[in-house]
């Protein structure tokens, strides 16, 4: 994080040896519930970093993943595939994007098995699920109902009265036939996430940008883009304030660039006042776009 200027760790999730799932990059969970993905830095490939990345604890060159960790990986991949409408066949390993040993020879060899397990988990029940059903798929139904905001009672894999009532309420909300039975159509609606909501974005404070500046190419590109959105009169006035000039001088120095502002920022009061003034001259929409470019 300190060296690369990252906003939190490189991956979106960490799956521990004991099967505990931890959030990695900040904001990942908040984005997922809205159908979005926080760009990470797990793959060493910009295109691949647009998709959620999972780090699995352990060295899997030869070590084999235990049952708890494997099951949590399957559950997480199924949830992500459902949320983002990703075909399980598109589950990839790190070495598919970059020359690396990751995720290890053994785990990489298990990707076909992982794709198959996730596909089976997302597949509709072979027979309709209804009150009295006691199969593993019922637990999945209960988990999906809970995620949608319908209370199925205890998550126990038993299709009881509470689960039946929750299924009926869900079916009614989707305009489906209300019979409390989970067949292929109800299942399809259950595993399909709600339409993405706009992801809230926050404008980046220019002083904070200067403080976290590491000279990275992405940061320079964001600063150059921002400067292109600022009119010359505003940049001229900002330059005067930054250099603490109350009146024109006989020989004008070279034009100030935002890249150099960050490069030579020293947390001085005059500098901070100038940056605060500049921030007030830029629209929030532009600052939001700048924040997105900076954080990418």
């Amino acid at each position: 994080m300190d060296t690369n200027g990252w906003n939190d760790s490189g991956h979106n999730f960490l799956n521990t040896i004991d099967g505990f799932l931890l959030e990695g990059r900040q904001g990942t969970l908040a984005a997922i519930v809205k159908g979005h993905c926080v760009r990470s830095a797990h793959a060493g490939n910009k295109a691949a970093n647009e998709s959620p990345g999972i780090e699995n604890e352990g060295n899997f060159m030869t070590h084999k993943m235990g049952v708890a960790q494997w099951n949590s990986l399957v559950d997480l991949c199924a949830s992500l595939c459902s949320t983002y409408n990703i075909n399980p066949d598109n589950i990839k390993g790190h070495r598919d994007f970059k020359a690396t040993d990751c995720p290890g020879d053994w785990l990489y060899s298990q990707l076909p098995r992982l794709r198959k397990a996730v596909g089976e988990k997302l597949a509709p029940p072979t027979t309709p699920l209804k009150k009295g059903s006691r199969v593993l798929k019922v637990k999945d139904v209960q988990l999906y109902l809970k995620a949608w905001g319908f209370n199925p009672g205890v998550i126990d894999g038993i299709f009881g009265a509470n689960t039946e009532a929750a299924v009926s309420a869900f079916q009614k909300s989707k305009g489906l036939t209300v019979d409390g039975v989970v067949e292929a159509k109800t299942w399809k609606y259950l595993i399909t996430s709600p339409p993405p909501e706009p992801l809230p974005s926050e404008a980046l404070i220019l002083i904070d940008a200067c403080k976290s500046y590491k000279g990275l190419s992405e940061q320079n590109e964001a600063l150059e883009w921002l400067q292109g959105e600022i009119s010359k009169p505003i940049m001229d006035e900002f330059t005067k304030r930054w250099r603490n000039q109350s009146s024109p001088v006989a020989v004008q120095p070279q034009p100030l660039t935002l890249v150099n502002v960050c490069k030579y920022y020293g947390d001085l009061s005059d500098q901070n006042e100038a940056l605060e003034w500049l921030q007030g001259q830029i629209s929030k929409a532009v600052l939001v776009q700048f924040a997105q470019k900076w954080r990418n």
Side-chain angles (χ1 to χ4, degrees), residues 8-285:
D8 216 321
S9 56
H11 53 275
N12 296 103
F13 294 97
L14 170 64
N15 179 28
T16 72
I17 290 174
D18 292 321
F20 292 101
L21 294 172
L22 308 178
E23 181 185 46
R25 180 146 292 197
Q26 181 180 358
T28 291
L29 290 175
I32 282 176
V33 298
K34 297 180 181 298
H36 297 280
C37 181
V38 171
R39 178 188 278 180
S40 55
H42 60 276
N45 177 296
K46 284 190 175 182
N49 289 343
E50 298 287 350
S51 298
I54 305 168
E55 180 179 22
N56 293 283
E57 183 183 14
N59 182 341
F60 299 104
M61 288 300 291
T62 55
H63 175 71
K64 297 181 180 180
M65 188 177 284
V67 174
Q69 190 175 20
W70 176 263
N71 288 341
S72 65
L73 178 60
V74 172
D75 287 344
L76 176 57
C77 287
S79 177
L80 293 173
C81 285
S82 172
T83 298
Y84 298 119
N85 296 317
I86 296 173
N87 187 314
D89 290 341
N90 289 321
I91 296 174
K92 306 288 186 182
H94 193 176
R95 64 177 67 174
D96 290 321
F97 304 102
K98 184 178 181 180
T100 173
D101 287 339
C102 184
D105 291 346
W106 179 84
L107 184 52
Y108 190 75
S109 73
Q110 299 301 304
L111 290 184
R113 174 185 163 212
L114 177 62
R115 297 180 190 113
K116 183 174 183 292
V118 172
E120 290 173 350
K121 194 169 185 66
L122 293 175
T126 54
T127 58
L129 302 177
K130 56 187 178 180
K131 190 174 182 179
S133 296
R134 295 189 177 212
V135 293
L136 286 177
K137 209 76 170 176
V138 172
K139 187 175 181 180
D140 293 330
V141 168
Q142 292 170 329
L143 289 170
Y144 281 120
L145 286 169
K146 186 175 181 179
W148 276 99
F150 296 89
N151 184 11
V154 180
I155 309 297
D156 55 6
I158 300 173
F159 204 120
N162 289 333
T163 300
E164 182 182 46
V167 170
S168 295
F170 175 79
Q171 290 172 325
K172 184 177 180 180
S173 73
K174 297 298 177 184
L176 302 171
T177 300
V178 180
D179 57 9
V181 177
V182 178
E183 30 54 68
K185 190 171 184 179
T186 298
W187 174 262
K188 182 179 179 181
Y189 275 84
L190 269 176
I191 69 171
T192 302
S193 298
E197 299 176 13
L199 184 63
S201 298
E202 294 183 359
L204 182 64
I205 305 300
L206 296 183
I207 292 176
D208 290 342
C210 287
K211 288 181 178 179
S212 61
Y213 179 73
K214 302 291 184 182
L216 303 176
S217 59
E218 294 87 350
Q219 295 176 333
N220 289 338
E221 289 172 8
L223 289 166
E224 289 166 359
W225 175 87
L226 178 60
Q227 183 156 345
E229 299 296 313
I230 302 172
S231 68
K232 187 176 183 300
I234 290 177
M235 276 303 298
D236 288 344
E237 177 63 23
F238 169 66
T239 298
K240 186 191 302 183
R241 290 168 180 264
W242 176 266
R243 292 174 173 157
N244 198 20
Q245 297 172 7
S246 59
S247 61
V249 295
V251 179
Q252 291 292 333
Q254 290 295 315
L256 188 66
T257 67
L258 293 183
V259 170
N260 281 337
V261 164
C262 284
K263 187 180 296 184
Y264 299 112
Y265 174 76
D267 200 14
L268 304 176
S269 59
D270 287 344
Q271 293 176 337
N272 289 337
E273 288 174 9
L275 286 167
E276 290 171 354
W277 177 87
L278 180 60
Q279 178 124 3
Q281 309 306 307
I282 305 172
S283 71
K284 184 176 180 181

